[in-house]
Amino acid sequence: MGKTVLNTRPETDSGDLAIALQQRGYDVCCAPMLTIDFPALPDDQPGLNLDGVQAVVFTSANGVRAFIRHCPRRDLPVMAVGDATATTAREAGFATVFSAGGDIDDLAALIAQRLPANGGPIYHPAARKTAGDLGTLLASKGYVIDRQTLYEAHAATSLPPAIIDGLAHAAIDAVLFFSPRTAESFVKLVEHHNIQGAMTTVSAICLSPAVKDRLASLKWRRIAVAAQPTQESLLSELDNAIV
């Protein structure tokens, strides 16, 4: 039997990850820490206001999914935080897509490189809670980020019984964490179910140092951070961590 890896990503983001893990020979179990909801626009808002917008910025694939639910336009250039988000945008029909290949700081640098500050606002479809504030990062350079909440990420309220049992009996070798909020949700649920001690047999594999920081209250067998904030880099770190 191969090593067992727990995927904590939302179901909307788990398809390619599950395939990649299985191709590497891992057994995969899932406990999404976030559920993504795409609410309708307010009754007094028939569509998205993109007047004067010079580009769209996506900080997640769910931002792309939210945008295309409400708007048919695909002519605007796209600035994407990473390659997976960029791929989702291209699959949705956007022709001009640039990937920062990293995190929100890399995205801010990409915008400053590719777009003029005086070219008009940049539209950002986002969740209510985000890992960083893109508008603040770019405000000093004169950019205007028009951020609108188009989807919600709701934290899980419990762990599935099979996952609790797997963690408690050392049947899960590693847990993957792609966002600070996912990590926060997991820690709260581990404490809620009183299985903190079980983490000493588990490796935590994190997409970034910010994700690792949210896991510091638990004692892990090992905690590792991807060299780059990409899925491929995280999977490489997983391979190294649990051989």
Side-chain angles (χ1 to χ4, degrees), residues 26 31 37 39 46 66 70 86 124 153 187 193 196 203 232 241-242:
Y26 295 111
D37 179 41
H70 303 297
H124 179 200
V187 169
H193 293 294
Q196 297 95 312
S203 294
E232 184 58 35
I242 66 171

Side-chain angles (χ1 to χ4, degrees), residues 9 16 60-61 64-65 80-89 91 99 231:
R9 299 202 85 181
D16 291 343
S60 74
V64 180
R65 298 180 185 114
V81 66
D83 295 344
T85 300
T87 297
T88 302
E91 291 173 347
S99 172
Q231 178 171 297

Side-chain angles (χ1 to χ4, degrees), residues 3-7 21 26-30 171-176 238 242:
K3 298 287 187 178
T4 298
V5 176
L6 175 58
N7 168 29
L21 287 167
Y26 295 111
D27 295 323
V28 184
C29 55
C30 298
I172 293 174
D173 299 283
V175 186
L176 306 184
L238 169 67
I242 66 171

Side-chain angles (χ1 to χ4, degrees), residues 65-147:
R65 298 180 185 114
F67 181 93
I68 65 177
R69 284 171 177 261
H70 303 297
C71 183
R73 288 186 61 179
R74 304 290 185 269
D75 58 304
L76 290 165
V78 166
M79 305 290 125
V81 66
D83 295 344
T85 300
T87 297
T88 302
R90 293 188 185 100
E91 291 173 347
F94 290 96
T96 305
V97 180
F98 301 97
S99 172
D103 57 18
I104 195 167
D105 292 309
D106 298 310
L107 181 57
L110 175 68
I111 290 171
Q113 177 187 8
R114 291 284 182 178
L115 300 174
N118 61 357
I122 301 166
Y123 185 75
H124 179 200
R128 192 171 303 278
K129 292 184 179 180
T130 59
D133 189 342
L134 189 62
T136 299
L137 288 174
L138 290 168
S140 63
K141 296 181 180 180
Y143 290 91
V144 175
I145 305 298
D146 180 9
R147 174 177 161 180

Side-chain angles (χ1 to χ4, degrees), residues 35-61:
T35 300
I36 308 301
D37 179 41
F38 299 96
L41 293 175
D43 291 340
D44 60 352
Q45 185 180 347
L48 305 183
N49 181 10
L50 300 177
D51 292 345
V53 166
Q54 65 167 316
V56 181
V57 59
F58 293 123
T59 50
S60 74

